[in-house]
Amino acid sequence: MAMDRKPIVSAKEVELLIAQGQPIVIHEGYALQLTQWIDRHPGGRLAILHMVGRDASDEINVYHSARSLQMMKQHRLGRIQEPWKNLEPPIRSPNYRDQISQPKDSCIAAPVTKGTTAPVPGHRSRPSIDIGPLGFLTPPSCTGVNPQPDLIPGGSCSRRIGSVQSADPEKQALLDTPDKISSEGSRIAYATTMEQKEIAEGILDYPSLDEETQQSIRLHYRALHQEIINRGLYQCRYSEYGKESIRYAVLFCAFLYLLLTGWYLTSAIFLGLFWQQIMFTAHDAGHRGITGNFVIDTLIGAFIADFCCGLSIGWWKSSHNVHHLITNMPEHDPDIQNIPLFSNSPTFMKSVFSTFYNFEFVWDGAADFLVPYQKYTYYPVMALARFNLYMLSWLHLLSPRATQLGSAWWTRHVELVFMLFYWAIFGYALVWCTLPDWPTRIGFVMISHMMTMILHVQITLSHWGMPTSDLGPMESFPQRQLRTTMDVDCPAWLDFLHGGLQFQAVHHLFPRLPRHNLREGQFLVREFCEKTNIQYNCYGFVKGNKVVLSRLEEVAKMVEMMVDCQKHMAETGESGLN
């Protein structure tokens, strides 16, 4: 359907095309027909699928250069007559799992259309139980279980997430709904109730989800974006990378000197610090925050991540693009899908189908056993996380997803060559040929890899302690990013240690903003939050860690209580639990 033949389309026509499986995204009042582009999108298919049926003007504008935005005009189907109201993207619908096995020409599943949304925003998959009139579960308590200290007295298997009061009777009714496990609903009922509690808290703590309020937030956000452009904050300060390069060189030379003088395990410390520091620049390149040129920044990122560190920049971009768009959604954000080791959301107790990995994260006995201890295993696992990244990198490069990049097809071949060079140099020449014996080899590998722990803590710090509730398609992009992301407060002289990752909220609002300009951008974001009444979450590094550990402990106690109730019901025969 050419634009010159039909320059204006109605919202109903667009909805019908989406229902027929066409990936249509709204941008600047136009419907973009992306069927021909979705398999050639350098950012991957999923980045588009999560925007289908949405006005993605803000996301598109902050993610793409002026040249890319100009190229998008060729995909315009037509201007939409009336103001667009967001649909729930089909990839987030409960039947998406069944639809992905359809023939290739069916791009997406049928959407959740207007007028069919739940009374409370935040629809989750697997709705296998009845929901009350306000969207909350109200099952009876299961008695006879010894409650945890923070549980409600009286033998009830219920737990309050927080004592929030509201002047709005309807909102207070949501908060006052008891969180109890029913004998029939069991684990899924309990998890759903905890979900709905978080949704109610999100509705209370942040601006209203009505169209007028959210549109006002969008307009302020666009004014903020223009201010950032006017101030020249998208201009990279290359002199800062000159300073960075000196620090990288010092760390690498210290590693080489100590290695050659036989201080093997000490040299491993400096190699690990070199990896930790240089990956910040790979992160910048992955967001095209250095030169702004896709080819040049991709090569910089691949050289650092693949050749110097053995990690696939393609894998990182594949998951990171999705993470930025649907931050902290348990079913969709790969950065928080860590079952059975960790769970920062009650949603995982229901077992969730990952639209990123295309398989179900099953909540099983291993999760019942491990998650209650996650507060204590967090740092040890972060110390060993690099080994998992090796595996994910190779799985990505050997998967079909690495070939579905259209004009960026060549990046996979570059990565494979760089990764092979890394293992030839690090694995063979260094570990096997240079180090004298197995105890030294094992010690060297473990120490060097554990030194990158601070990077892994920094990555998880900004999101694992934040809400995972979905407030529905009406929530604006900037509000969701600020609601699910935490900044870390630190003095300017410590910026080198955090590598820009301490400004994650600012970075999520403006992903292409060069790292060395984020601190200046933070002042503007604070002003934006004051104008829009959106809470800006910023804590010191120690306090931020406490927030994450508290969240992990909170979910762990949910699991402990759930398991205790299941044992009680199994012993008394009140339900047929597995």
Side-chain angles (χ1 to χ4, degrees):
M1 187 182 299
M3 180 183 169
D4 60 346
R5 293 181 57 189
K6 192 167 186 180
I8 296 193
V9 293
S10 68
K12 288 187 176 180
E13 288 178 289
V14 175
E15 289 179 32
L16 179 60
L17 292 173
I18 293 174
Q20 293 171 350
Q22 297 193 34
I24 296 179
V25 177
I26 312 305
H27 177 247
E28 303 288 5
Y30 287 90
L32 301 183
Q33 166 49 276
L34 300 177
T35 302
Q36 301 301 319
W37 176 245
I38 191 167
D39 285 326
R40 297 187 290 118
H41 182 223
R45 289 173 52 88
L46 288 176
I48 291 177
L49 291 178
H50 278 290
M51 294 296 103
V52 170
R54 291 179 56 86
D55 183 343
S57 299
D58 293 327
E59 292 92 325
I60 291 174
N61 290 341
V62 296
Y63 271 91
H64 297 87
S65 65
R67 180 173 178 270
S68 297
L69 293 175
Q70 186 66 26
M71 292 174 59
M72 286 183 194
K73 292 183 179 180
Q74 64 182 296
H75 297 290
R76 285 179 174 178
L77 180 68
R79 177 177 287 278
I80 302 178
Q81 284 178 319
E82 55 270 12
W84 180 260
K85 291 186 179 180
N86 285 338
L87 306 179
E88 190 76 17
I91 193 174
R92 303 181 199 174
S93 67
N95 63 338
Y96 174 74
R97 179 177 182 177
D98 298 327
Q99 295 287 339
I100 58 175
S101 60
Q102 286 187 352
K104 187 176 181 181
D105 59 351
S106 179
C107 298
I108 51 180
V112 179
T113 56
K114 302 172 193 174
T116 61
T117 54
V120 175
H123 177 76
R124 295 290 191 192
S125 59
R126 301 188 60 182
S128 57
I129 41 186
D130 292 332
I131 296 180
L134 291 177
F136 269 68
L137 287 162
T138 55
S141 64
C142 83
T143 56
V145 178
N146 294 325
Q148 299 291 337
D150 62 330
L151 301 184
I152 297 174
S156 169
C157 298
S158 23
R159 181 177 184 277
R160 297 290 179 186
I161 291 198
S163 55
V164 185
Q165 298 296 319
S166 172
D168 187 327
E170 182 175 300
K171 289 184 175 180
Q172 191 60 49
L174 295 179
L175 289 175
D176 289 339
T177 304
D179 328 327
K180 301 176 181 180
I181 298 179
S182 72
S183 57
E184 294 183 4
S186 181
R187 172 169 51 86
I188 295 177
Y190 176 62
T192 302
T193 302
M194 294 295 99
E195 274 183 346
Q196 300 293 344
K197 175 71 74 174
E198 288 193 352
I199 290 171
E201 290 175 346
I203 292 173
L204 284 178
D205 294 341
Y206 286 84
S208 171
L209 296 173
D210 67 84
E211 179 59 31
E212 182 179 356
T213 301
Q214 292 301 307
Q215 182 61 18
S216 175
I217 291 172
R218 293 185 189 99
L219 293 176
H220 279 93
Y221 174 65
R222 291 165 192 174
L224 170 62
H225 189 206
Q226 189 59 49
E227 177 68 13
I228 282 177
I229 294 173
N230 295 342
R231 292 195 180 203
L233 296 186
Y234 275 114
Q235 302 302 312
C236 181
R237 292 187 281 162
Y238 294 109
S239 60
E240 295 297 329
Y241 282 109
K243 300 174 186 177
E244 300 271 356
S245 298
I246 294 173
R247 182 164 62 252
Y248 303 156
V250 168
L251 291 172
F252 192 76
C253 288
F255 149 69
L256 278 180
Y257 174 78
L258 292 167
L259 179 71
L260 296 175
T261 55
W263 288 72
Y264 301 119
L265 299 185
T266 307
S267 72
I269 295 175
F270 287 90
L271 178 60
L273 291 174
F274 169 76
W275 282 336
Q276 184 259 345
Q277 284 287 300
I278 201 171
M279 278 302 292
F280 294 140
T281 300
H283 177 265
D284 299 344
H287 281 289
R288 287 178 294 144
I290 301 178
T291 70
N293 181 284
F294 176 80
V295 174
I296 296 175
D297 281 357
T298 297
L299 289 175
I300 292 173
F303 175 77
I304 295 173
D306 296 74
F307 182 84
C308 297
C309 302
L311 305 176
S312 166
I313 191 69
W315 159 77
W316 177 84
K317 289 171 70 173
S318 175
S319 64
H320 203 65
N321 287 339
V322 174
H323 159 71
H324 264 266
L325 292 172
I326 38 81
T327 309
N328 269 21
M329 283 191 181
E331 302 95 331
H332 312 293
D333 184 355
D335 280 17
I336 63 170
Q337 294 175 344
N338 301 288
I339 297 299
L341 288 176
F342 300 109
S343 172
N344 67 328
S345 171
T347 299
F348 289 112
M349 297 182 203
K350 298 160 62 175
S351 297
V352 301
F353 178 77
S354 168
T355 55
F356 182 83
Y357 292 110
N358 275 345
F359 69 78
E360 186 173 21
F361 281 87
V362 177
W363 189 278
D364 55 14
D368 282 342
F369 177 76
L370 293 171
V371 170
Y373 298 101
Q374 62 182 354
K375 175 182 177 181
Y376 307 102
T377 59
Y378 174 64
Y379 293 113
V381 171
M382 291 300 107
L384 303 175
R386 189 178 179 87
F387 294 104
N388 183 52
L389 300 187
Y390 285 145
M391 179 188 70
L392 292 174
S393 294
W394 280 107
L395 288 175
H396 168 77
L397 289 175
L398 299 177
S399 73
R401 181 173 291 166
T403 64
Q404 297 173 348
L405 298 176
S407 59
W409 61 269
W410 53 270
T411 58
R412 177 173 181 260
H413 302 283
V414 171
E415 287 198 79
L416 286 170
V417 171
F418 279 170
M419 291 270 279
L420 291 174
F421 268 106
Y422 169 82
W423 286 107
I425 295 171
F426 175 76
Y428 179 73
L430 174 56
V431 176
W432 182 255
C433 296
T434 303
L435 300 180
D437 50 50
W438 276 108
T440 305
R441 290 169 184 150
I442 294 173
F444 183 93
V445 170
M446 294 301 295
I447 291 173
S448 62
H449 286 58
M450 290 173 67
M451 289 306 299
T452 64
M453 171 183 173
I454 188 172
L455 175 61
H456 304 135
V457 170
Q458 183 73 63
I459 291 171
T460 58
L461 185 63
S462 298
H463 300 293
W464 281 24
M466 303 307 292
T468 60
S469 53
D470 178 14
L471 301 189
M474 295 306 295
E475 185 177 28
S476 62
F477 170 73
Q479 178 169 309
R480 177 169 185 86
Q481 296 307 316
L482 289 165
R483 185 171 61 85
T484 58
T485 309
M486 172 204 311
D487 269 358
V488 175
D489 192 22
C490 75
W493 65 271
L494 262 181
D495 283 354
F496 80 93
L497 183 64
H498 298 289
L501 298 183
Q502 75 272 35
F503 301 118
Q504 277 290 290
V506 185
H507 171 62
H508 268 248
L509 290 176
F510 306 103
R512 293 185 299 113
L513 198 65
R515 185 213 319 173
H516 303 102
N517 295 336
L518 289 172
R519 182 171 286 277
E520 185 175 350
Q522 184 186 45
F523 293 107
L524 299 176
V525 169
R526 286 184 184 274
E527 292 178 357
F528 165 78
C529 290
E530 291 175 1
K531 291 178 182 177
T532 58
N533 294 318
I534 298 178
Q535 181 178 335
Y536 176 59
N537 301 287
C538 186
Y539 309 100
F541 185 74
V542 175
K543 175 64 180 297
N545 275 264
K546 290 180 179 179
V547 170
V548 171
L549 293 177
S550 296
R551 176 61 172 174
L552 294 177
E553 183 177 28
E554 181 181 42
V555 176
K557 287 181 178 179
M558 293 182 194
V559 176
E560 288 177 343
M561 198 242 329
M562 178 189 70
V563 171
D564 287 344
C565 279
Q566 285 183 331
K567 287 180 179 178
H568 166 74
M569 288 188 287
E571 290 171 358
T572 59
E574 292 183 11
S575 68
L577 296 173
N578 295 325

